[in-house]
Amino acid sequence: MPTLTKPQDPAPARKKHGRSWHRTAGKPVRWWMIALLLVIGFHRWIPDTRWLMVHMVTLGLITTSIMVWSQHFTEALLHHRLADGERPRQIVRIYGVTAGTVVLMVGMLADWWWLTLVSATVIGGLLTWHGVSLLGQVRVALPARFGMTVRWYAVAAFFLPVGAIFGAILALELADPWHSRFLLAHQTLNVLGFVGLTVSATLLTLWPTMVRTRVEDTATTLSRVALPAMAAGSLVAAGGSVGGWVPVVVPGLFSYAVGVALIGWIMVRTGMRKLPEGYMGWSVASGIAWLFITVVLALILVAARGLHASVMGALTIPFVAGFLLQTLLGAMSYILPSTMGGGPATVRASLAAINRGGIYRVTVLNLCIALFALPSGMLPSWVRALVSIVGAVAFAAFLPLMISSAKISVAGRRRLMAQRAGGGQPPAPANADADDAAAVAEPKHQTHALRQLVAGVLTVVLAVGAGIAVAPQSAGLGLSGSAENAVQATGNTTEVTMHAHQDMRFDPAEIQVPVGDRLVITLVNDDPANVHDLVFANGATSGRVNPGETAEVDAGIITEALEGWCSVIGHRSMGMTVAVIPVDSHGNPVGSVGHENHGAGAASSADDLQDPAAEVDFNAAPGEAFTVRDPALGPAPNETVHELALDVQEVAREVAPGVTMDAWTFNGDYTGPTLRGAVGDVFEVTLTNSGSMGHSVDFHAGDVSPDQTMRTIAPGESLVYRFEAVRSGIWLYHCATAPMSTHVAAGMFGAVIIDPPDLPRVDREYLLVQNETYLTVPSADQPDLPEGVDAVVDPVGIAAGRPSLTMFNGHATQYMHEKLLARPNERVRIWVLAAGPSKGTSFHVVGGQFDTVYKEGAYLLSPSSPENPGGTGGAQALDLAPAQGGFVEMSFPEAGTYTFVNHSFAEAERGARGQIEVAQ
């Protein structure tokens, strides 16, 4: 049996250097593991997470690992240690690929094609350098039995530069069929060519070492057929893909599948002498099995569907999780403990730690991957969700086990060095008992392995059962016992492609399904700016779908009428609903089909009728964590060009004592920041959408075309809104994305004050922006809710004109407890803006009179006006319709507490009030 021992190196200093190189070179692999777990955990808030996670695995984890371990095995197989002077160049290549991958991801996410192209070129160049370096080591080394493996490492490295350039071309967002052609060519070269060839060449010697037996007699002969077949198959399939020639792609994939089958046969023959043990062996074996299965499926799908992007999209999970991750983590479970050393006992203990629960983990992972590989419509949505969680946990278990194993190795090495330093007899070298050094200290009893296998199966079965229990109808199980639920499943699947349009409609909005059929919907979001989803009354859901993306919804077996809708707040009320109607063989509806809830005026469910603000104590102070908004208004800045960044954030904000709502905000505050300037000033506002749906902004102070500046932008996008203030007044700005009433009621509004020329100075100046909001309790399955939220905007309440709260500056009671301040006889100016969305205001100060009233750009009352002889005229209220604004001025002759209100008392009693404390 060949033993992949490290090259001879008698000098302890050199050994330390070698281990140091491994640790330095391997750091990026650990970084990518941690980054991948973080992206998985925070994927809801990260754009293009599917693409990002796939490339973190392929370019991050896999490519970096290949560069590290192909060099390690090259030295072991050639029995030729690389000169120490070459180590820094290796580090440069490995870290360069890591940095290039990060830059490439930035270029893709920021949509900077030039940066994507540059980084792809750099990555390709570094892999070419890596391949040339490997060939150079072959030339200077003595002939070796397995030198062929190193040559195939170099050949595989030359595949990736071409695949990387194809990937950069894909970033141009080519239209089909070119996008699909280059996508298949890109994946064929990178996954099948670069990764597949490297892994297969490595397993020629690594596999028998892992299972602790000799190399199969026919392994070298078969490999000389298998590896060229795989390389030629990759090139032919990639060339056929670019040319759009299905008859060329299919033979290429067939050639590749034959090569993988031969590699698998070598592994089976080797394993027949000695079965794999623990996680490492079975994970690698599973990875190669998935590679063969996935290539065969790709061949069949290309032959049936042609060169369509959905072919490789349907195989992403089997390729990435089944083949790439399982092969990588299985190999690392053997390589890391073996190369870290520390003596035979330490290696055994370290292997035992990293392979703990191996059969259980492999069983869970492969069952989860198999479930995801099923044809569309066979796996209910809740089952998919729970199975994905179980599978992710099984994968993530590798990281803590790897850390535990590393600690054991480090401790063992320290003991070994201490023994040597003390002159004691070190333990026997690892090659004195190679079998024991590579053995996994997991119990070998068949009953123990069987227990883990059964436990793994039961874990996945429980996940599937829990998913069915959450939404039984999606699995064709009814709960009511009605005649409709007694319908027998036909075993057929009705597949429908549904489009979500910009006009807040689903197309089709009514779907007729043969009773007993399973319904699977492919939802395509054609809205260029808004996020949408599709939720059915039985719990089936698509999850949020970004503009231009596609999702699949398994609505289950249809036995009765079923309603669906978009759950993004406000979209259902605007008509984003769908009716699923079961029909018999003659096309006649089966059972009762109600349409009363279909349409823009849909009534709320029972939960929607609950108002979280119904029990608010309007005399209570805001919560301890609430920060009162300072109503004091500073003077306009001296500059004539005002720059402002508006960041859309969907956050939890208190709007009344005990009421915390899902607020959609500009810069995190319910009621956005205030802008102030003079006539002629220029405002340049950068709007960034950090929310989960489309948003926009409309500045009433700007006299501009709305086509570009007020357009809705998708999550992650930005725009610049530039306008010149040509007229004075207090102006509203707000989100202009439909339904606007919902966005404004959720907090997306603010004020722009453009001072009238020669505006007199006053002693104190305040700003009060009034708005009303309409609330309901969030539904149990409402997605993307911030933590602590107990209220969401209610579009039905808006349509009915039933406000929950009417507030000044975003809170119903804040100015009853944090009063505005003034002194007797000081001149006070109060700017007032009615933000709506639907209610105006009649602003009044109890006990006070206004001697100056300015409304909508003009003075209605002024002490010096000719229409006010002697300045004796006064006003008691400033009346403003929604989106109107102005200011009043007054002075208070006496100390006291003056209450300001919306004199529409119903609104005042809902929170539109506060107090001014006048004291000496």
Side-chain angles (χ1 to χ4, degrees), residues 167-179:
I169 294 173
L170 285 169
L172 288 172
E173 299 182 357
L174 303 174
D176 271 334
W178 290 106
H179 175 81

Side-chain angles (χ1 to χ4, degrees), residues 820-832:
L820 283 60
L821 302 177
R823 296 181 183 276
N825 298 314
E826 282 186 336
R827 190 149 190 84
V828 177
R829 177 183 298 132
I830 301 177
W831 291 85
V832 183

Side-chain angles (χ1 to χ4, degrees), residues 353-578:
I354 202 168
N355 284 275
R356 190 174 295 131
I359 304 298
Y360 172 79
R361 286 191 282 147
V362 170
T363 303
V364 169
L365 283 171
N366 284 283
L367 287 176
C368 290
I369 295 166
L371 288 172
F372 268 88
L374 292 173
S376 63
M378 294 187 66
L379 199 65
S381 55
W382 270 101
V383 173
R384 285 183 68 89
L386 293 179
V387 166
S388 67
I389 293 172
V390 170
V393 170
F395 264 129
F398 174 81
L399 194 58
L401 293 175
M402 180 187 70
I403 295 171
S404 174
S405 173
K407 288 181 178 179
I408 293 172
S409 296
V410 170
R413 288 213 320 263
R414 287 174 178 170
R415 287 193 299 270
L416 190 61
M417 288 187 291
Q419 286 178 318
R420 288 174 175 171
Q425 180 68 29
N431 59 5
D433 190 356
D435 283 351
D436 285 344
V440 179
E442 186 176 336
K444 300 177 183 178
H445 303 298
Q446 293 184 356
T447 54
H448 183 78
L450 182 61
R451 289 193 200 101
Q452 290 197 40
L453 177 66
V454 172
V457 172
L458 289 177
T459 299
V460 178
V461 168
L462 286 173
V464 172
I468 294 173
V470 171
Q473 282 183 295
S474 67
L477 302 175
L479 298 178
S480 65
S482 64
E484 291 84 359
N485 284 327
V487 173
Q488 293 296 315
T490 63
N492 300 325
T493 298
T494 297
E495 297 186 1
V496 175
T497 298
M498 175 183 289
H499 296 265
H501 292 307
Q502 191 173 10
D503 62 354
M504 299 294 170
R505 291 293 185 273
F506 285 127
D507 182 22
E510 183 176 289
I511 303 172
Q512 293 189 351
V513 182
V515 63
D517 272 18
R518 179 181 296 278
L519 173 63
V520 176
I521 295 175
T522 299
L523 177 64
V524 181
N525 187 359
D526 291 333
D527 190 329
N530 283 302
V531 173
H532 295 292
D533 65 8
L534 177 59
V535 175
F536 282 102
N538 64 3
T541 178
S542 66
R544 293 293 169 90
V545 183
N546 290 321
E549 294 187 356
T550 300
E552 189 176 273
V553 190
D554 180 359
I557 296 174
I558 304 303
T559 61
E560 59 185 351
L562 182 65
E563 183 186 8
W565 59 87
C566 177
S567 74
V568 177
I569 294 177
H571 291 193
R572 182 181 184 184
S573 66
M574 295 188 70
M576 290 201 79
T577 60
V578 58

Side-chain angles (χ1 to χ4, degrees), residues 192 196-197 200 225-235 255-256 259-260 263 291:
L192 302 187
L197 281 173
S200 299
V225 177
L227 295 174
M230 293 169 67
S234 298
L235 292 173
S255 174
Y256 192 93
V260 177
I263 296 296
L291 175 61

Side-chain angles (χ1 to χ4, degrees), residues 63-252:
T63 301
T64 307
S65 298
I66 285 176
M67 294 182 73
V68 174
W69 296 111
S70 61
Q71 178 59 47
H72 170 83
F73 288 124
T74 294
E75 296 181 32
L77 294 170
L78 298 178
H79 304 289
H80 176 79
R81 177 177 289 280
L82 193 66
D84 289 345
E86 292 295 319
R87 296 297 188 196
R89 295 185 180 91
Q90 289 180 305
I91 298 298
V92 167
R93 291 194 290 268
I94 292 168
Y95 280 70
V97 167
T98 299
T101 302
V102 172
V103 174
L104 181 141
M105 291 174 177
V106 171
M108 283 295 297
L109 297 180
D111 201 21
W112 296 335
W113 184 78
W114 64 270
L115 188 61
T116 303
L117 177 62
V118 169
S119 55
T121 304
V122 169
I123 293 170
L126 291 170
L127 262 296
T128 302
W129 185 12
H130 176 71
V132 170
S133 173
L134 295 177
L135 289 177
Q137 294 173 65
V138 173
R139 284 195 297 269
V140 300
L142 294 174
R145 179 185 178 189
F146 297 104
M148 173 187 69
T149 297
V150 181
R151 293 185 180 90
W152 280 108
Y153 286 165
V155 171
F158 298 144
F159 274 73
L160 190 133
V162 182
I165 296 302
F166 284 177
I169 294 173
L170 285 169
L172 288 172
E173 299 182 357
L174 303 174
D176 271 334
W178 290 106
H179 175 81
S180 298
R181 292 178 182 180
F182 275 98
L183 177 62
L184 187 57
H186 167 69
Q187 294 175 329
T188 300
L189 291 173
N190 284 1
V191 178
L192 302 187
F194 172 56
V195 181
L197 281 173
T198 304
V199 168
S200 299
T202 301
L203 290 177
L204 177 63
T205 52
L206 179 61
W207 176 248
T209 306
M210 291 175 67
V211 297
R212 298 180 292 122
T213 188
R214 62 183 177 83
V215 176
E216 169 64 26
D217 294 335
T218 59
T220 303
T221 303
L222 292 177
S223 294
R224 294 185 187 278
V225 177
L227 295 174
M230 293 169 67
S234 298
L235 292 173
V236 170
S241 298
V242 174
W245 304 312
V246 172
V248 175
V249 176
V250 170

Side-chain angles (χ1 to χ4, degrees), residues 315-347:
L315 300 176
T316 298
I317 294 296
F319 258 132
V320 175
F323 166 51
L324 295 178
L325 278 176
Q326 286 205 104
T327 305
L328 172 66
L329 299 185
M332 289 180 68
S333 296
Y334 173 78
I335 294 171
L336 289 177
S338 300
T339 55
M340 291 187 73
T346 298
V347 172

